Amino acid sequence: MKQAILIIGYKSIDNIIRIINYFDDNFQFYIHIDKKSKADLTPLYAIKNKNVNIYKEYKVYWGGVSIVKVTLLLVKKALENKDNTYFHLISEQDFPIKPVHYFYKLAEENKNYLDYKELPIKVWDGNGGFDRIYYYNFYDKVNARNFGIGRLLRNIVYIQKAMGIKRKYSPLLPKLFGGSNWWSLTREVLQYVIKVSENNSLLDRMKYTFASDEIYFQTILINSPYFKDIINQNLRYIDWEFRDGNSPAFLDISDFDKLILSDNIFARKFNENSNELITKLLKINKSNNSL
């Protein structure tokens, strides 16, 4: 019985390597690097004695349906190995905060962890998230994180509202749910998602939908026969505090106690200022792994 770690990456190759080295041989790694990335992948390809699979098939844009497509690609690739029974989706800015034996226990329990709420979601801007669905959002065309581009895309939505333009959402499509796009799910549930996705107009409808990666898996699974098997949390520690100009906050050594006391298995987001924190996490979890 093995676990698959699915990683969506762009440039933080050093942290991806740290994640790989954290786990033992009972974990397989499926990594997609943004096709736009110019990062040197040589250190990734140089890793020996680990099952590391690297893909670079899609140009990935924040807020775009490309993230859904990358996720489905990684799921399909990981499912090809019949030894993989439990799956975790993370990004290059994540890091494990529990010892490896904790992951073994989780896989043995074989439970599904996915954060979800029915739309409208109170904390989501744009009519609780419905603006994502009912108006054209062109996030797969440009980099919305470039200066001024994000504002331009929001203004395009305002113009559509002013002109009375509104996209249809077919009553034949499922009720909408949303939440965090990071999850830990079982093989059976992911096989269902892939089967549905092979002939599913919902995926087509996610085109021009803002942050559809926060809607797609939730909408499929909470409308599925597996609904009662989904635990409404995703086992990810995320600090939504606005800190140093970022939300979610980038974690640092001041967050150590909160991470250790957390019941979550991964935390995010980490960057170059998180190295002291990661070093301390590695030290304590390496000690726990030897128990």
Side-chain angles (χ1 to χ4, degrees):
M1 182 174 70
K2 294 186 181 294
Q3 297 183 54
I5 309 290
L6 318 183
I7 305 175
I8 298 177
Y10 178 70
K11 63 178 181 180
S12 299
I13 307 305
D14 288 346
N15 195 53
I16 293 175
I17 292 173
R18 280 190 296 203
I19 293 168
I20 293 169
N21 289 332
Y22 183 86
F23 293 99
D24 61 28
D25 293 343
N26 290 307
F27 293 79
Q28 321 257 6
F29 302 90
Y30 300 83
I31 305 161
H32 184 276
I33 302 297
D34 190 338
K35 204 171 184 178
K36 304 190 306 300
S37 174
K38 296 180 180 179
D40 180 10
L41 303 186
T42 304
L44 268 181
Y45 285 110
I47 294 175
K48 305 297 182 184
N49 303 319
K50 296 277 188 177
N51 192 318
V52 179
N53 305 273
I54 304 165
Y55 310 96
K56 200 172 183 181
E57 296 195 14
Y58 291 100
K59 292 182 178 179
V60 182
Y61 293 92
W62 179 81
V65 73
S66 52
I67 301 176
V68 176
K69 293 178 179 180
V70 165
T71 304
L72 292 173
L73 169 71
L74 293 175
V75 170
K76 288 179 182 178
K77 295 296 185 181
L79 286 172
E80 288 176 1
N81 187 329
K82 294 181 180 180
D83 291 334
N84 291 330
T85 61
Y86 203 64
F87 305 73
H88 310 274
L89 178 67
I90 63 174
S91 85
E92 65 179 9
Q93 294 180 318
D94 295 27
F95 200 76
I97 58 174
K98 292 294 184 188
V100 172
H101 66 75
Y102 194 97
F103 284 81
Y104 287 161
K105 180 182 177 182
L106 200 67
E108 289 172 2
E109 293 173 350
N110 205 41
K111 295 180 180 178
N112 295 287
Y113 293 90
L114 176 73
D115 170 59
Y116 67 87
K117 293 182 179 66
E118 184 178 347
L119 267 63
I121 297 175
K122 186 176 180 180
V123 297
W124 280 10
D125 293 335
N127 296 315
F130 280 126
D131 284 3
R132 303 181 180 203
I133 299 289
Y134 290 125
Y135 300 98
Y136 290 95
N137 292 271
F138 298 102
Y139 285 79
D140 268 308
K141 300 297 183 182
V142 292
N143 184 354
R145 294 190 165 179
N146 283 347
F147 179 77
I149 298 297
R151 178 179 294 180
L152 172 63
L153 293 175
R154 290 190 295 273
N155 286 340
I156 291 174
V157 171
Y158 298 146
I159 291 169
Q160 291 175 70
K161 290 182 177 182
M163 296 178 65
I165 298 171
K166 193 172 184 180
R167 301 175 69 194
K168 293 181 180 180
Y169 187 79
S170 171
L172 299 178
L173 291 172
K175 183 183 294 185
L176 291 163
F177 291 83
S180 171
N181 58 320
W182 313 113
W183 41 252
S184 294
L185 296 170
T186 62
R187 182 179 186 87
E188 184 178 1
V189 160
L190 287 175
Q191 286 175 323
Y192 176 84
V193 171
I194 295 302
K195 182 178 179 180
V196 171
S197 298
E198 288 173 351
N199 185 22
N200 180 14
S201 55
L202 178 64
L203 183 57
D204 293 334
R205 183 56 180 78
M206 289 295 101
K207 188 176 182 181
Y208 304 128
T209 295
F210 170 61
S212 54
D213 56 307
E214 296 180 345
I215 297 173
Y216 187 73
F217 275 72
Q218 282 83 355
T219 297
I220 288 179
L221 289 176
I222 306 307
N223 286 287
S224 79
Y226 294 98
F227 162 63
K228 292 182 180 180
D229 298 328
I230 306 295
I231 298 173
N232 192 1
Q233 56 177 298
N234 67 352
L235 300 181
R236 305 312 192 258
Y237 180 93
I238 304 173
D239 186 350
W240 289 99
E241 170 190 343
F242 193 80
R243 193 195 310 178
D244 298 326
N246 296 288
S247 178
F250 283 104
L251 305 175
D252 58 34
I253 193 62
S254 68
D255 298 293
F256 176 77
D257 289 340
K258 288 178 282 189
L259 297 189
I260 291 301
L261 294 173
S262 169
D263 291 329
N264 296 296
I265 58 174
F266 290 100
R268 66 188 319 270
K269 298 164 41 176
F270 293 86
N271 64 5
E272 62 276 3
N273 296 321
S274 308
N275 288 337
E276 184 180 0
L277 172 60
I278 289 177
T279 299
K280 196 169 182 179
L281 287 169
L282 285 169
K283 184 177 181 180
I284 191 169
N285 284 330
K286 183 177 181 180
S287 174
N288 287 336
N289 281 334
S290 64
L291 295 178

